[in-house]
């Protein structure tokens, strides 16, 4: 087609050629598949094509199994060698990644390390956010496929309708909104259609019943059917642009055609479609799925159970859910409870919770101890401690040992996180081990979690039974930061959230972390995970200088209301935001709301931030909050050292204070970068007040400035520069350079505007008045002929350096 699409293909191929995975995302009918084909052809070499299937979204590794003709669930470790053998120096094209199962998404990083990878994602599908996150987690880029421009649409229309008048072509182009498939349908005569859905529905409606039955069969089968089983002349469907035929196999041009055909059929006819597909399908799980849709539940149930015995993870959960559809009361409840356990084992806690609640409903007034124990575990894993304790408490003492152990383990989990009641959690977990035995994985996992929350180093005896999230937090709190998350076995959102939490502590790259957390936040469903993401986003925003936005974000989440553990995290974030913004009274007030009976790490860090607020405003007459008792976690020894240094700051000799803060900086080193930099500044600032050590302290301040500025730690940099001015040093000019007609300072100011800074925040970050920022922005707008502040900020990237 040319134009912008050719440019996009050049960009995509350039990135993929150097080993950078690329996802192309576009609306339905926008031509994503065609663009992938053109890009793959331009790259040269072997092209291996595969894709997600809508009906098998819960089945593990379907796209990869289709690509390599094997069952990876039997030996996942063979994936790297399979990729190298089948793709080699060619390119792997994965279309419809939005329909890929979570295991495939989690393996995308490993695939991309072995081969060049191109993926297609359909915008607007529920699975698109997870697919985008998977590409990002694999170190890739997602490029948006824009609509065709008017010239491109016009050229396409003219080739199809060379005799049409210009006015008619222009009208069709406008109505297509740049969507080539909509344009094709309009050109085929569907003059009343204004959207792709309407266009395809109109095409399907014009078909006879055998054609609509064929389209419905193709839509329900996903990966095409042999032409000989289609009881409809293909010529009409091909002419209407509804199907394609490759190597004797018929495929839908677009899945919406199948949906439209299914919607147009009477229930009995649609059941016949699934009954025919059940006969054509040899795999028991898919046959069971079709039989359920055909209404033959008795025939579906044994097939689903048979397939479930061989399946794992979400596929097992889905098959047991199918088995439940054809069961009665107690059997239905049992199948759903087993499905819930399969989903939990795959770390899809929201689905596990939903299935467990369905099992409880199916049980009626007399749920078994087994069902209640599963409900308790699902609720605990989903971050609902009160509901988990209620279900666990209903498990009678005479229940089977497995069920009592599961209920006790759920109790321990709920008490440990998010309630942070470590002593009770350890007791419940020890009872779970006693009841379930030393080999009970759930009991062992709950004991590891409870010991971690209690600050007991014996938590490390349970590595095989702890999920990646727990292992990461445990390693951090032990003062031994990991180099990787170890969470590649979880959903992409879980993996990325853990990576960003680690990056927050290890790197303190506030701008980069904030940008990635903003993108991730809309994809996170579990409430406790959203609290973690929101708190760290607020902290990153505060560290970067966007303190008003950070405070508003944390305060809004605190009104939700959050879980007890989430409240501690969000209170820490709010206190830090107010402190970074210089609103010291508000920082102390925010910290007063923390529940010190919950001894979470966030409580310690909140007290630390509030102590800084009190220390930086000594004239306010408000005493600093008392230090917390010694933290039970080795990683938080640094907090105690920093609190002790703060207590000396007003009374001890500067040299002693400098030594105390340097000790705290050393303790933070390696796992909490922002704390390390803050203490390094405090140590240099204290030394600066010692006349004998001023030259060395200035050098140390310059070193902190040089380290903190590239990380976007603007409030800290502002403190460093204030200390330098107090030492008689002039603040250094901007480290940047001018661009085009703009000065270096104007470029710097517009960069802050692009990041969302208010004039006041930008002024605080740069050590000038807000009115000065406004003047510099107005000057830049005049030079660039920009309409707004944001327009000016967007234009900067186009200027020559």
């Amino acid at each position: 087609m040319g134009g912008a699409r050719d440019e996009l293909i050049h960009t995509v191929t350039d990135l993929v050629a150097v080993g950078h995975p690329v996802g192309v995302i576009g609306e339905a009918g926008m031509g994503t598949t065609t663009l992938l084909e053109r890009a793959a052809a331009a790259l040269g070499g072997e092209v291996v094509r595969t894709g997600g299937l809508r009906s098998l979204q819960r089945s593990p590794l379907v796209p990869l199994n289709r690509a390599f003709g094997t069952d990876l669930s039997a030996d996942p470790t063979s994936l790297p060698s399979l990729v190298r053998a089948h793709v080699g120096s060619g390119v792997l094209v994965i279309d419809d990644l939005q329909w890929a199962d979570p295991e495939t998404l989690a393996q995308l990083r490993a695939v991309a390390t072995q081969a060049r990878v191109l993926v297609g994602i359909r915008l607007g599908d529920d699975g698109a956010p997870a697919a985008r996150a998977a590409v990002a987690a694999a170190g890739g880029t997602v490029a948006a496929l824009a609509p065709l421009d008017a010239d491109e649409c016009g050229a396409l229309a003219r080739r199809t309708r060379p005799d049409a008048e210009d006015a008619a072509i222009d009208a069709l182009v406008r109505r297509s909104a740049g969507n080539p498939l909509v344009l094709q349908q309009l050109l085929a005569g569907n003059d009343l259609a204004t959207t792709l859905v309407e266009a395809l529905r109109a095409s399907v409606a014009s078909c006879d019943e055998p054609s609509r039955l064929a389209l419905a069969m193709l839509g329900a089968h996903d990966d095409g059917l042999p032409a000989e089983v289609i009881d409809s002349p293909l010529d009409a469907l091909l002419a209407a642009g509804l199907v394609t035929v490759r190597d004797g196999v018929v495929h839908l041009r677009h899945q919406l055609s199948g949906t439209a055909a299914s919607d147009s059929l009477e229930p009995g006819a649609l059941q016949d479609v699934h009954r025919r597909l059940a006969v054509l399908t040899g795999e028991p799980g898919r046959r069971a799925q079709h039989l359920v849709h055909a209404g033959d539940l008795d025939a579906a149930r044994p097939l689903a159970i048979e397939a479930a015995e061989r399946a794992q993870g979400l596929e097992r959960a889905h098959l047991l859910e199918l088995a439940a559809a054809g069961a009665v009361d107690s059997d239905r409840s049992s199948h759903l409870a087993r499905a819930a356990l399969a989903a939990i084992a795959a770390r899809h806690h929201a689905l596990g919770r939903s299935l467990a609640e369905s099992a409880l409903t199916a049980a009626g007034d007399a749920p078994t101890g087994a069902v209640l124990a599963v409900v308790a575990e699902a609720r605990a894993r989903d971050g609902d401690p009160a509901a988990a304790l209620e279900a666990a408490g209903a498990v009678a003492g005479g229940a089977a040992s497995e069920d009592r152990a599961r209920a006790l383990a759920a109790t321990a989990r709920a008490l440990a996180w998010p309630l942070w009641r470590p002593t009770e959690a350890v007791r419940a977990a020890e009872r779970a081990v006693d009841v379930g035995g030393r080999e009970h994985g759930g009991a062992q996992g709950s004991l590891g979690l409870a010991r971690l929350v209690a600050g007991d180093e014996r938590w490390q005896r349970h590595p095989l039974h702890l999920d990646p999230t727990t292992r990461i937090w445990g390693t951090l709190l032990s003062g031994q930061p990991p180099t990787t998350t170890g969470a590649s076995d979880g959903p992409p959102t879980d993996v990325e959230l853990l990576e960003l939490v680690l990056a927050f502590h290890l790197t303190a790259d506030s701008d980069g972390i904030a940008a990635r957390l903003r993108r991730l936040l809309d994809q996170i469903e579990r409430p406790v995970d959203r609290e973690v993401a929101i708190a760290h986003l607020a902290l990153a925003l505060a560290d970067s200088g966007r303190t008003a936005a950070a405070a508003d974000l944390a305060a809004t989440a605190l009104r939700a209301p959050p879980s007890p553990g989430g409240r501690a995290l969000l209170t820490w974030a709010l206190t830090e935001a107010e402190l970074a913004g210089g609103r010291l009274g508000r920082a102390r007030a925010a910290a007063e709301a923390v529940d010190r009976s919950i001894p979470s790490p966030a409580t310690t860090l909140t007290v630390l931030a509030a102590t800084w607020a009190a220390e930086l405003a000594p004239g306010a007459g408000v005493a600093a909050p008392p230090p917390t008792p010694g933290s039970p976690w080795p990683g938080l020894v640094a907090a105690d050292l920093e609190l002790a240094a703060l207590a000396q700051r007003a009374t001890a000799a500067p040299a002693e204070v400098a030594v105390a803060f340097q000790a705290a900086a050393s303790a933070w080193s390696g796992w909490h970068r922002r704390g390390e930099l803050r203490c390094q500044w405090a140590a240099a600032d204290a030394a600066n007040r010692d006349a004998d050590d001023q030259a060395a302290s200035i050098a140390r301040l310059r070193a902190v400035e040089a380290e903190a500025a590239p990380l976007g730690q603007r409030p800290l940099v502002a403190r460093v520069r204030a200390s330098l001015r107090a030492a008689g040093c002039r603040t250094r000019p901007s480290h940047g350079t001018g661009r085009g007609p703009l000065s270096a300072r104007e470029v710097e100011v517009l960069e802050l505007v692009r990041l969302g800074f208010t004039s006041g925040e930008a002024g605080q970050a740069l050590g000038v008045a807000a009115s000065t920022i406004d003047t510099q922005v107005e000057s830049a707008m005049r030079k660039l002929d920009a309409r707004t502040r944001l327009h000016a900020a967007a234009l900067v990237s186009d200027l020559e350096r």
Side-chain angles (χ1 to χ4, degrees):
M1 293 178 185
R5 298 207 166 195
D6 281 342
E7 289 296 323
L8 180 58
I9 288 174
H10 290 318
T11 301
V12 168
T13 54
D14 286 346
L15 289 170
V16 175
V18 295
H20 191 85
V22 175
V24 179
I25 187 166
E27 293 178 355
M30 201 62 76
T32 304
T33 300
T34 301
L35 189 138
L36 293 177
E37 292 289 340
R38 291 179 61 195
L43 284 163
E46 180 78 15
V47 179
V48 178
R49 297 174 180 84
T50 186
L53 297 177
R54 186 180 61 164
S55 63
L56 296 180
Q57 284 176 275
R58 292 185 179 179
S59 299
L61 302 170
V62 166
L64 299 179
N65 289 338
R66 293 175 71 200
F68 308 131
T70 187
D71 181 5
L72 278 164
S73 61
D75 183 14
T77 61
S78 66
L79 177 60
S81 59
L82 283 170
V83 175
R84 291 193 297 271
H86 286 263
V87 183
S89 60
V91 59
L92 176 64
V93 177
I94 309 176
D95 205 358
D96 288 322
L97 192 69
Q98 76 283 347
W99 291 334
D101 56 282
E103 284 77 3
T104 294
L105 298 181
Q107 291 292 344
L108 192 61
R109 182 201 295 269
V111 172
T113 63
Q114 303 296 326
R116 300 182 296 179
V117 176
L118 256 176
V119 305
I121 304 170
R122 183 172 300 176
L123 190 64
D125 188 275
D126 290 344
R132 295 185 72 152
V135 175
T141 298
V142 176
L145 181 58
L148 298 176
D149 62 30
D151 291 340
E152 292 169 328
C153 271
L156 178 62
R158 182 63 67 190
R159 286 197 296 271
T160 306
R161 299 270 290 270
D163 299 330
E165 296 181 358
D166 289 343
I169 292 291
D170 290 343
L172 291 173
V173 167
R174 285 195 301 272
R175 289 166 60 186
S176 73
N179 188 309
L181 190 52
V182 172
L183 180 61
Q184 181 184 24
Q185 293 298 319
L186 292 171
L187 291 166
N190 300 314
D191 292 333
L192 298 180
T194 57
T195 69
L196 176 61
V197 175
E198 291 175 356
L200 291 174
R201 285 188 184 280
S203 284
V204 171
S206 67
C207 296
D208 58 19
E209 183 166 353
S211 294
R212 287 185 284 122
L213 286 169
L215 291 171
M217 284 182 65
L218 289 167
H221 195 64
D222 269 338
D223 48 355
L225 288 168
E228 58 266 23
V229 307
I230 303 294
D231 296 333
S232 174
L234 291 177
D235 290 346
L237 294 175
L238 287 166
L242 294 172
V243 302
T244 61
V245 180
R246 297 194 298 272
D247 300 326
V249 177
V250 185
H251 300 267
L252 287 176
R253 282 286 304 277
H254 198 285
Q255 185 66 37
L256 286 174
S257 302
T259 303
S262 297
D263 291 344
S264 74
L265 297 176
E266 295 295 326
L270 190 57
Q271 287 183 329
D272 287 340
V273 166
H274 285 286
R275 200 169 287 115
R276 285 193 62 191
L277 288 172
V279 173
L280 293 170
T281 303
E283 198 278 314
R286 296 190 76 177
R287 286 186 64 199
Q289 186 174 22
H290 287 305
L291 287 169
V292 167
H293 288 302
D296 195 347
L297 302 182
D298 288 339
R301 186 167 61 257
L303 287 169
I305 293 173
E306 175 193 346
E309 295 305 316
R310 299 195 301 268
Q312 299 177 358
L314 289 185
E315 184 182 20
R316 177 177 172 82
H318 175 55
L319 290 166
L320 288 169
E321 189 179 11
L322 286 178
V328 294
D329 296 342
S330 60
D331 284 344
R332 174 175 168 77
S333 180
S334 174
H335 289 320
L336 287 169
R338 292 171 64 202
L341 289 177
I344 291 169
R347 296 183 61 229
H348 285 264
H349 300 131
L351 175 62
R353 169 78 178 270
S354 175
L355 291 167
E357 300 293 355
S358 296
L360 186 61
T361 300
D365 296 332
T368 63
V371 169
L372 286 169
V374 170
V375 171
E377 179 170 0
R379 289 172 174 177
R381 300 271 190 179
D382 197 42
D384 191 347
L389 293 174
E390 178 185 8
V395 177
S401 59
E402 166 71 19
D403 302 329
R404 286 187 290 124
R406 189 182 304 282
L408 286 165
T411 299
R413 288 185 179 280
L415 291 170
W417 171 262
L419 293 180
W420 285 98
R421 288 156 59 180
T423 304
E424 297 169 71
V426 170
R427 282 202 297 265
E430 288 174 341
R431 288 178 58 203
V433 172
D434 289 341
V435 171
R438 294 287 169 184
E439 302 304 316
H440 194 286
Q444 288 288 336
S446 69
L447 182 57
L449 175 63
R451 284 175 168 170
L452 168 62
V453 169
D456 185 339
E457 64 181 13
R458 289 180 295 171
W459 74 268
Q460 298 179 75
R461 297 180 182 178
H462 310 269
L464 298 179
H465 304 293
L466 294 174
D467 61 47
T469 305
T470 305
R471 293 198 300 269
I472 293 304
W473 282 110
T475 309
L476 279 172
L477 291 172
S478 298
Q480 303 166 9
T483 55
T484 60
T485 62
S488 59
D489 55 331
T493 51
D494 288 13
V495 174
E496 188 168 6
L497 179 58
L498 283 176
E499 287 179 342
L500 290 175
V501 169
L502 276 176
F504 172 80
H505 288 286
L506 299 179
T507 71
D509 177 11
S510 55
D511 287 338
I513 292 164
R516 291 180 63 189
L517 276 171
R518 280 192 190 280
R519 290 195 298 269
L520 182 66
L521 193 56
D522 290 339
Q523 303 164 29
I524 298 174
E525 296 180 358
R526 202 163 71 120
V528 292
D529 290 338
R530 284 188 62 81
E531 290 167 358
V532 170
I534 290 170
H536 284 84
L537 174 56
L539 286 161
L541 289 172
D543 284 351
S544 74
R546 287 163 281 184
T547 62
D552 182 63
L553 182 66
T556 299
L558 282 166
R559 291 193 291 268
S563 68
R567 179 174 295 280
L569 268 177
L570 291 163
T571 301
W572 171 38
L574 178 58
T575 306
E576 291 277 14
E578 302 291 16
L579 171 62
R583 300 177 291 273
L584 305 179
R586 290 185 184 182
R588 295 194 299 273
E592 289 173 3
V594 72
D595 184 353
R596 301 195 184 197
S597 67
I598 299 177
S600 74
T603 302
T604 299
L605 295 168
T606 301
V607 171
L608 179 57
T611 306
W612 267 110
E615 176 60 25
L616 293 175
V622 179
T628 54
S631 298
W633 301 281
L636 286 181
V637 167
D640 295 326
L641 292 173
E642 190 171 348
L643 284 166
L646 276 167
Q648 298 178 47
R649 195 167 184 261
T651 57
E656 295 177 16
V657 176
V659 169
F661 274 116
Q662 191 56 52
S666 298
W668 285 126
S669 178
W671 83 271
H672 191 58
R673 184 73 168 129
R674 64 194 297 274
E676 179 186 7
L677 288 170
R678 180 176 57 199
C679 288
Q680 285 177 345
W681 158 72
D685 181 71
N688 193 46
R689 286 180 273 143
D690 186 339
D692 295 333
D693 197 24
Q694 199 166 59
S697 71
I698 290 172
R700 292 164 70 183
L701 288 168
R702 292 290 191 201
V704 175
E705 179 187 22
E707 292 183 48
L711 297 174
Q713 294 276 329
R714 295 179 185 87
L716 177 60
V717 170
R719 290 180 188 171
V720 172
R721 290 174 178 171
S723 296
L724 286 168
R725 288 193 295 272
C729 299
R730 294 181 60 186
T731 302
R732 287 179 171 176
S734 167
H735 293 285
T737 59
R739 294 189 196 175
L742 301 183
S743 68
R745 178 47 69 93
E746 286 169 342
V747 171
E748 189 174 24
V749 168
L750 287 181
E751 173 62 14
L752 296 181
V753 170
R754 185 186 66 80
L755 291 170
F757 280 63
T758 65
S759 293
E761 290 170 342
Q764 185 179 34
L766 299 177
V768 298
S771 58
T772 302
I773 298 295
D774 289 334
T775 299
Q776 290 165 339
V777 171
E778 290 167 5
S779 171
M781 288 173 60
R782 286 194 301 272
K783 293 178 180 179
L784 298 174
D785 194 23
R787 299 182 302 276
T788 65
R789 295 162 61 99
L790 289 178
H791 185 206
L795 292 174
V796 171
S797 60
D798 296 329
L799 298 176
E800 293 185 4
R801 294 179 181 272

